[in-house]
Amino acid sequence: MKYAENNRISHRQLTRQIVLSLTAPFLLGLLSNRFVLGGNGMTAAVIVLIPLYFYIIFLIRLSPYYGSLPKYMGKWGSLLIGIFYLSFIVLTGTYLLTLVENVVPISLLSEFPGKAASLLAVVVCSLGTQKGMQKRGRMGEVSYPFVLGGIVLLLVVAAFQGSLEYFKSNPEGLQVTLEGFVRAGYGILAAFTPMGLLPFALNNVEKARSGKRPIFLGVVITCLIFLGSLIVLQANYGWERLLQEEYPILPLLAGANLPGEVLARFDVIWLAVLLYSLLF
């Protein structure tokens, strides 16, 4: 189902919104945690797809109840659930704004105050809060090819800068241990926590009960981008430097350039794509 009517979004639009919403937090936030790097993170990024598949099925079955919470949970029960999810949204928004505050001065505008950047992000995002799921779906429909295409293209450019010697000289970076795998798997699953909001969103999706495939597709694409980023980062930095970078994804394309210096600032494009996804 490519298109939707009656003020609802289609399955394809739902997939694209999931990818657009999760990609930047994964690449900027999750990659800053050392325990998800290396072989443990690469393995966990694939294995976590199994529990996520069943979690998605569970969320889809919950969606009818979330559409009429007072009916099933009563007035006070609905209020408590609402407060819980609202608290999660506020805390998540605060974390994302903190990322904006830290990232912009580092890579985009060194003289621009981080707090001013986060305040500007609040203003920009608040302008669209009342636009509804359908307009957001259309925005995702248009933005998705550019954002995903830009991320894949820039990762390919970065891959050509990498070296296999980094893997050979630092084999410990590819080692998988039980403790490291469990920590990495837990971290990735925790990063997918926003999926818990799906039961609310599914009430605005056409044929929500058959939405398992498009939702899982969005999760798979996000995991593949994350997995590709882990490999490219280690190929560019080596294991030791990778552990030292605060936000490893930011300087990834600092030295990239096209022949003849046709495009010498790949890093600016890279950050612009990530910030757009973060604000989405």
Side-chain angles (χ1 to χ4, degrees):
M1 182 174 58
K2 295 184 178 181
Y3 306 102
E5 298 177 354
N6 301 323
N7 296 318
R8 295 175 181 264
I9 64 172
S10 67
H11 286 171
R12 188 172 74 175
Q13 290 173 334
L14 178 61
T15 300
R16 297 186 172 196
Q17 289 199 51
I18 291 172
V19 177
L20 286 172
S21 299
L22 294 178
T23 298
F26 267 65
L27 298 185
L28 285 169
L30 187 57
L31 283 176
S32 65
N33 295 299
R34 306 297 180 259
F35 56 82
V36 302
L37 302 176
N40 290 315
M42 296 175 194
T43 306
V46 177
I47 301 299
V48 296
L49 291 175
I50 298 173
L52 283 172
Y53 177 79
F54 292 102
Y55 183 49
I56 288 168
I57 295 175
F58 172 71
L59 292 176
I60 291 174
R61 292 183 176 178
L62 280 181
S63 60
Y65 303 101
Y66 276 67
S68 304
L69 276 177
K71 176 181 177 182
Y72 296 101
M73 298 298 298
K75 178 181 178 180
W76 293 107
S78 302
L79 180 61
L80 290 175
I81 292 175
I83 292 174
F84 173 78
Y85 278 103
L86 182 60
S87 301
F88 169 76
I89 291 172
V90 171
L91 291 173
T92 302
T94 303
Y95 172 72
L96 296 179
L97 288 173
T98 302
L99 279 180
V100 173
E101 184 176 325
N102 293 336
V103 164
V104 170
I106 292 175
S107 293
L108 192 60
L109 299 169
S110 58
E111 301 299 326
F112 195 76
K115 292 191 180 300
S118 61
L119 178 61
L120 181 60
V122 171
V123 173
V124 170
C125 293
S126 64
L127 295 176
T129 53
Q130 303 298 323
K131 300 300 182 181
M133 281 288 289
Q134 191 179 51
K135 290 187 178 180
R136 180 182 170 91
R138 291 173 181 171
M139 185 177 178
E141 183 85 18
V142 175
S143 306
Y144 180 82
F146 298 100
V147 174
L148 185 66
I151 289 175
V152 172
L153 175 62
L154 294 170
L155 284 177
V156 170
V157 170
F160 281 104
Q161 297 184 111
S163 173
L164 289 175
E165 293 301 321
Y166 282 127
F167 292 103
K168 296 177 181 178
S169 61
N170 297 283
E172 65 274 14
L174 295 177
Q175 291 177 357
V176 179
T177 63
L178 179 60
E179 180 183 359
F181 169 75
V182 171
R183 292 188 66 188
Y186 174 78
I188 296 174
L189 284 173
F192 274 107
T193 302
M195 297 292 292
L197 296 170
L198 268 176
F200 292 104
L202 286 174
N203 291 295
N204 297 302
V205 178
E206 286 284 353
K207 299 181 180 178
R209 287 189 171 274
S210 60
K212 176 178 63 178
R213 181 178 177 182
I215 295 172
F216 189 64
L217 178 60
V219 170
V220 170
I221 293 173
T222 303
C223 282
L224 287 176
I225 293 173
F226 182 70
L227 176 61
S229 300
L230 286 173
I231 297 172
V232 170
L233 284 172
Q234 193 160 339
N236 275 264
Y237 296 153
W239 181 240
E240 294 180 0
R241 182 191 167 188
L242 183 58
L243 293 176
Q244 296 173 0
E245 292 287 346
E246 183 179 5
Y247 294 103
I249 204 70
L250 291 182
L252 180 61
L253 290 160
N257 190 9
L258 289 178
E261 296 188 355
V262 176
L263 188 57
R265 293 304 306 273
F266 267 104
D267 55 328
V268 174
I269 301 174
W270 180 233
L271 184 61
V273 171
L274 292 177
L275 283 177
Y276 180 86
S277 176
L278 192 66
L279 294 177
F280 193 90

